[in-house]
Amino acid sequence: LEEARAAVERAALLDDVNLSADAYAALAFVLEASGRDGEASAAREEAHGRYVLKGNIVAADAISASRRA
């Protein structure tokens, strides 16, 4: 969990929206596996928003589908 949070922090330092979204998506996965569903949902929403901002509709759809699963 610490590593996933660190990845989000590191990605925020770069000008790469997709990388940042990927880091949030990974954090969501780790949080969900840890039983932290509320935090996982927030991380997924953040990832989705960043994917949409970048125009990465495929990844945005995939992260949305993972919310419904």
Side-chain angles (χ1 to χ4, degrees):
L1 181 56
E2 284 181 34
E3 290 85 3
R5 289 190 193 277
V8 167
E9 290 175 12
R10 279 186 238 127
L13 300 174
L14 304 173
D15 189 26
D16 188 333
V17 178
N18 271 315
L19 180 65
S20 181
D22 290 345
Y24 273 105
L27 176 61
F29 177 80
V30 172
L31 287 166
E32 190 171 58
S34 300
R36 297 177 176 194
D37 294 336
E39 290 176 83
S41 179
R44 261 193 306 280
E45 287 295 326
E46 191 65 38
H48 181 265
R50 289 168 190 257
Y51 285 134
V52 169
L53 177 68
K54 186 62 178 176
N56 189 341
I57 303 307
V58 172
D61 287 348
I63 199 78
S64 290
S66 73
R67 274 186 270 169
R68 293 188 294 267

